[in-house]
Amino acid sequence: NRVDSLIFHKKDKKFIGAIHYKIKSNELQMGKFISYKKYRSKKYGFEATKKWLEYAKNYFNSKNVFVITSKNNIPNIKLNKKLGFQVDKKKSGKKLWIKMIYQLV
């Protein structure tokens, strides 16, 4: 029910993270992570997510992609906003987790 794709660092010849998705109703839920601190904040997560969103636009019939992230994960929230995700204020409220949505169409 979930598909995982690994993020590979070509120069270092090492898997450094992953992107995964699953289809929920008419939406795609996506998650991402960079495993090693050495590779964080170096745009690898941004580039991989950007490529995956381009893929999703071309191969899925869903209207949007959503992510769930901790309100405390400021770097991830900033990365998501830079990619075009917006906070779903209806689903986020005062909870520890927030939902962010990216419109595919």
Side-chain angles (χ1 to χ4, degrees), residues 19-21 28-32 45-60 62-67 79-86 100-105:
I19 291 181
H20 70 269
Y21 75 89
L28 292 168
Q29 181 178 8
M30 186 198 78
K32 63 187 171 306
F46 178 86
E47 289 298 323
T49 304
K50 185 177 170 184
K51 291 287 186 190
W52 187 87
L53 290 169
E54 290 172 12
Y55 173 82
K57 283 181 184 180
N58 292 317
Y59 292 99
F60 293 102
S62 299
K63 292 182 181 180
N64 60 53
V65 174
F66 75 94
V67 296
L79 184 147
N80 290 338
K81 285 182 176 180
K82 191 173 179 180
L83 286 161
F85 283 83
Q86 296 181 343
M100 301 181 80
I101 299 174
Y102 178 88
Q103 300 292 322
L104 290 173
V105 289

